[in-house]
């Protein structure tokens, strides 16, 4: 049977300032509004440094977000949030699948997270397990455990041997021509022009 809900969902990486603002707006509604988180705890100084924001779209509407932070040999998933009226439709499932796929393509072998105790069961359904021999900890009024998930980078994972023309494409969108691929048209056009001038 065709999954109509999943078909109308997609996930993109926030690559422009307006899309970063979009991700922050959704988090404002969910964490500041619904969960009444203090502003400085929600916007913690980690949104613009070593981080990517994924946005889930239902048709033209941004409905969910997830922040990935990139460390040397692990990535960390954070700030998973879906607008209340779009919950229980698998939005987070798709966001997490895409986050894991993106991190693996970037070459990561491990993703960690901090899970509220009552959400551990849910994160297990995303393949995470509670990290052993690590103490529970507390912040923002909740008790947390560390969770982790192993990743297997695909054969075309990004490495220092990746084709430089692929490496300079928009991050996470490495399989389609980017602006620098299109810049080659200028080279071809000017080479064609030069040839025509020489022939004239
Ligand atoms: C946690 C959160 C991100 C989940 O987003 P979501 O898009 O609703 O996630 P999913 O649809 O993948 O699954 C959520 C639940 O719906 C269930 N579900 C999913 N599709 C379903 C369906 N078609 N029918 C019935 N249940 C369904 C899942 O099993 C899961 O169950 P649970 O809540 O009992 O564990 C969302 O509830 C949220 O934004 N909460 C507020 C912010 C927050 O707490 N973030 C997490 C911080 S650790």
């Amino acid at each position: 049977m065709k999954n109509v809900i999943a078909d109308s969902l997609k996930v993109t990486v926030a690559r422009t300032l307006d899309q970063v603002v979009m991700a922050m707006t959704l988090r404002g509604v969910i964490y500041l509004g619904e969960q009444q988180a203090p502003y400085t705890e929600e916007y913690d100084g980690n949104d613009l440094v070593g981080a990517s924001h994924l946005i889930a779209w239902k048709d033209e509407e941004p409905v969910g977000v997830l922040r990935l932070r990139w460390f040397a040999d692990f990535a960390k998933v954070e700030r998973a949030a879906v607008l209340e009226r779009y919950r229980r439709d698998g939005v987070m499932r798709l966001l997490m699948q895409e986050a894991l796929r993106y991190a693996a393509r970037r070459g990561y072998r491990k993703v960690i997270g901090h899970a509220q105790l009552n959400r551990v069961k849910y994160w297990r359904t995303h393949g995470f397990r509670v990290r052993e021999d690590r103490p529970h900890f507390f912040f923002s009024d909740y008790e947390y455990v560390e969770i982790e998930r192993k990743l297997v980078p695909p054969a075309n994972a990004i490495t220092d041997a990746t084709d430089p023309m692929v490496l300079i494409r928009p991050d996470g969108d490495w399989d389609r021509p980017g602006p620098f691929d299109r810049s080659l048209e200028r080279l071809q056009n000017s080479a064609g022009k030069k040839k025509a001038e020489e022939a004239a």
Side-chain angles (χ1 to χ4, degrees):
M1 202 173 96
K2 211 164 150 60
N3 187 339
V4 177
I5 291 167
D7 280 355
S8 62
L9 284 177
K10 69 170 183 212
V11 172
T12 61
V13 178
R15 294 199 184 87
T16 55
L17 272 179
D18 62 307
Q19 288 180 0
V20 173
V21 171
M22 195 181 275
M24 298 306 122
T25 304
L26 260 67
R27 278 184 19 206
V29 171
I30 298 161
Y31 286 109
L32 298 194
E34 183 188 327
Q35 303 210 335
Q36 300 182 10
Y39 187 92
T40 51
E41 291 176 21
E42 179 50 30
Y43 302 108
D44 56 354
N46 284 324
D47 282 315
L48 301 175
V49 183
S52 298
H53 302 278
L54 301 191
I55 301 175
W57 302 77
K58 189 162 173 29
D59 302 319
E60 301 301 308
E61 201 63 20
V63 298
V65 287
L66 183 148
R67 179 170 86 183
L68 270 164
R69 284 208 290 143
W70 308 111
F71 293 89
D73 63 354
F74 67 94
K76 182 167 184 290
V77 284
E78 300 175 330
R79 302 298 196 270
V82 173
L83 287 175
E84 203 170 6
R85 61 190 179 281
Y86 294 100
R87 287 186 194 151
R88 304 190 74 108
D89 267 357
V91 173
M92 186 46 59
R93 189 145 303 279
L94 186 68
L95 262 169
M96 188 60 79
Q97 273 167 14
E98 288 302 303
L100 298 174
R101 207 171 56 84
Y102 182 27
R105 181 80 191 268
R106 264 172 149 257
Y108 283 86
R109 293 177 184 279
K110 193 198 294 182
V111 173
I112 71 163
H114 297 162
Q116 288 172 15
L117 288 187
N118 65 353
R119 299 302 304 176
V120 167
K121 198 170 147 221
Y122 176 67
W123 297 124
R124 279 192 208 283
T125 72
H126 286 282
F128 284 86
R129 63 174 186 81
V130 175
R131 297 180 83 194
E132 283 163 20
D133 305 323
R134 303 278 293 178
H136 292 198
F137 58 107
F138 295 82
F139 65 88
S140 297
D141 315 313
Y142 289 98
E143 185 173 3
Y144 291 84
V145 284
E146 289 175 286
I147 53 173
E148 73 172 41
R149 191 191 195 282
K150 298 268 186 281
L151 297 175
V152 179
N156 62 353
I158 301 297
T159 69
D160 61 358
T162 296
D163 181 332
M165 288 305 288
V166 171
L167 202 58
I168 56 175
R169 288 177 180 162
D171 211 276
D173 199 9
W174 294 291
D175 298 325
R176 290 191 307 153
F180 298 114
D181 295 275
R182 291 189 285 278
S183 78
L184 296 179
E185 288 163 19
R186 285 206 299 274
L187 208 66
Q188 279 154 9
N189 287 347
S190 64
K193 217 166 152 192
K194 204 165 161 212
K195 234 176 178 179
E197 278 167 10
E198 280 166 6

